[in-house]
Amino acid sequence: MTPHRPHIDRGGPSVQTARPGDWVENATGLGDIAPDAYRMEIPTSRYIAPEFVAQERDSIWNKVWQVVGRVDELTKAGDWKQYQIFDQSYLIVRGKDTRLRGFVNACRHRGNVLCRESRGNAKRGFLCQYHLWSYDLDGRLKGMLREALAGPIDKDTHGLIEVAVDTFAGFIFLNPDPDAAPLADFIGEEVATMLAPYHLDQMVTVMDVTEAIDCNWKVVLDAFQEGYHIDGIHPQLLRVINIDPATSRYRFFEQHSVSMAPFDVVGATPEQQVDGIMDLPETFPSTVAVIPRFQELVAEYRGADGTLNFPDGITARTLMQRATRDTLTNMGLDVSGLTDAQMSDNHGWVWFPNFFMTIRAGEAHIIMSLPHPDGNPNRCIWHVASYMWLPDEAKAAFTAEPIVVDEPGSFKYFEALQQDYEQMPRQQIGLRNTALKHMALVKEEVVIAHFHSVVDKYLAAAADS
C-alpha cells in the first residue's frame, strides 16, 4: 500500500474520517453483557491438575495456531529457530526461496534430534550428527551415509516432516495439526483489518525476555486480561489510567477478543493530569520520545503566574494524543489510519490460546505463556516482549537481542511488569489448596470468562471427535 501524507491539525484534535479504531464508539460495554453470557466460576482444577494438562495438550496445543516468533528473527536463508511445546520440538527455517517452513525436529532415519540450540543458521541445510543424513532447507532428504548400501530408502518420501507455518502482523505462527485450517481463517478478516493501521509488521523488538515462572500458564493470561487488579497491584498507575469499568469497551470474536479502557483520570485537576503523564516513562519507557512535545503543548495553557488551566475539551489525555501524533508524524511514520484515541489508549488483544498484547500508536507489548516442558501444571514459561515502530535509520540502535533468564528474579522488569511477575506465583500458591474448587469472576473480568469459554469449546470439540 502506498503511504499517503497524514493530516495534522496543530490547533486541536485531528479531524478524522471512519477508521478501524472507531469500533470503540459503539462497542460492547459491561452493561450490555448479560449476566449469564459466560460462565463466571472457573474450576481451579484446570490450573493444578496433571490430568488437565494432558487434556490441554491434546485438545488445544496440538490443534491451534500459536505464535512462535517474529519474522525479522529469520531474515537470511538458513536462519532457523527451535520452538518447543511440552516435549514436541519444531524447527522454523528460512529457505533459499525466502519462504518460511516448519519441520519436526527429528531425523527421519532413527529420530535423532537435529538441532539442540534455540536458534542458528544452516545455510547448507541440516545434518544429523548420528548417521550423517542431510536435509535441504526445504526439508528434502539430500544425502545419506554410504547411500549405495542403504537399501530401499526412497529419498522423496523421507524428507523432514513438515508442519504448518504462516505469518501475520510480523509474527510467525505454527500449527502442529496436519489438518489445520488456514491462519487467515483463525485470525479472521475483521481482526486483521482492525490491527492493520498500527503497522505491527514494521515494528522492531526493543525487549525480549523469556524465563520460567512458578504458576500455571493460564494464571499469566488471566492476569493481563483485566484491570480489576490495578488498585491492588499497580497503585501508581491510578495517576494516569481511568479504571472506571463503565468506560471500558469490548469486542469478542469466536476465539479472540479486544478490550479498551481510556487512558485518562476523570476528576483530576489539570496539574494532577499532567503530573501523571510525566510519570509515564517509569512504566511505559517508549513515552520518553513524546514527552518534549507534550510539554510544549501544556505550556500553551499555563498562565504567567504558572497556573495551568484547560478549556473545555482539552485534557492531558488529548494533549498526549496530539503530542504522540505530532512526534510519530515528524519521524516520517504514517499514523493517519489511527484515531486520536489510539494515540493514547492501549487496546488489549487476546489471541487464543496464549498471546496477550497491548497496543497503541507506535508501540506494542506482548505477554505469552507456555506450559512448562516438564508438564508440571504449577510452572510455565513466560515470554515478554516490546516492539516499537521507528524510522529505518533508528531501528538498529533500539533493536534488542533475546534474553533467557536462568536465575529466577535476576532480571528486573519495568515497574508494572515487575509487580505482575511477583504477584502471579502468589496466586498459584493459593490455587493449589484443594478445598478451593473454583474461582469466582466479577463482571469486570469478562475477558477472562470469554477466554475460558474458548478453552471449553476446544475441550468439547476434542471430546466429540
Side-chain angles (χ1 to χ4, degrees), residues 331-352:
M331 290 180 181
L333 305 176
D334 179 10
V335 292
S336 61
L338 297 171
T339 66
D340 286 334
Q342 287 173 300
M343 296 295 113
S344 59
D345 300 344
N346 278 300
H347 289 196
W349 283 89
V350 180
W351 297 345
F352 191 81

Side-chain angles (χ1 to χ4, degrees), residues 384-441:
V384 298
S386 296
Y387 310 101
M388 291 180 66
W389 190 22
L390 299 165
D392 289 342
E393 63 272 15
K395 289 180 178 179
F398 286 89
T399 301
E401 291 298 315
I403 296 172
V404 177
V405 181
D406 295 322
E407 182 182 346
S410 62
F411 185 89
K412 296 303 178 185
Y413 302 92
F414 60 80
E415 185 178 22
L417 199 55
Q418 184 69 27
Q419 291 164 332
D420 289 310
Y421 172 82
E422 295 168 1
Q423 162 58 32
M424 293 182 294
R426 294 198 292 264
Q427 183 185 358
Q428 188 69 26
I429 291 171
L431 289 171
R432 296 175 75 168
N433 286 287
T434 56
L436 184 68
K437 300 302 182 184
H438 67 263
M439 302 190 311
L441 302 181

Side-chain angles (χ1 to χ4, degrees), residues 367-381:
I367 308 290
M368 291 194 294
S369 56
L370 283 171
H372 198 278
D374 66 10
N376 183 345
N378 299 295
R379 303 186 72 204
C380 73
I381 305 296

Side-chain angles (χ1 to χ4, degrees), residues 299-314:
E300 297 175 11
Y301 300 95
R302 198 175 290 281
D305 62 353
T307 303
L308 186 62
N309 292 292
F310 288 152
D312 290 345
I314 298 295

Side-chain angles (χ1 to χ4, degrees), residues 239-240 263 271-281 287 290-291 294 316-317 320 344:
R239 293 163 58 87
V240 290
F263 212 70
E271 289 287 2
Q272 290 169 336
Q273 294 175 29
V274 169
D275 288 346
I277 296 294
M278 294 301 295
D279 284 344
L280 279 178
T287 58
V290 177
I291 292 298
F294 173 73
R317 175 172 177 259
M320 184 66 173
S344 59

Side-chain angles (χ1 to χ4, degrees), residues 435-454:
L436 184 68
K437 300 302 182 184
H438 67 263
M439 302 190 311
L441 302 181
V442 302
K443 202 169 185 182
E444 288 180 51
E445 297 166 316
V446 65
V447 179
I448 298 177
H450 175 265
F451 166 76
H452 283 272
S453 76
V454 182

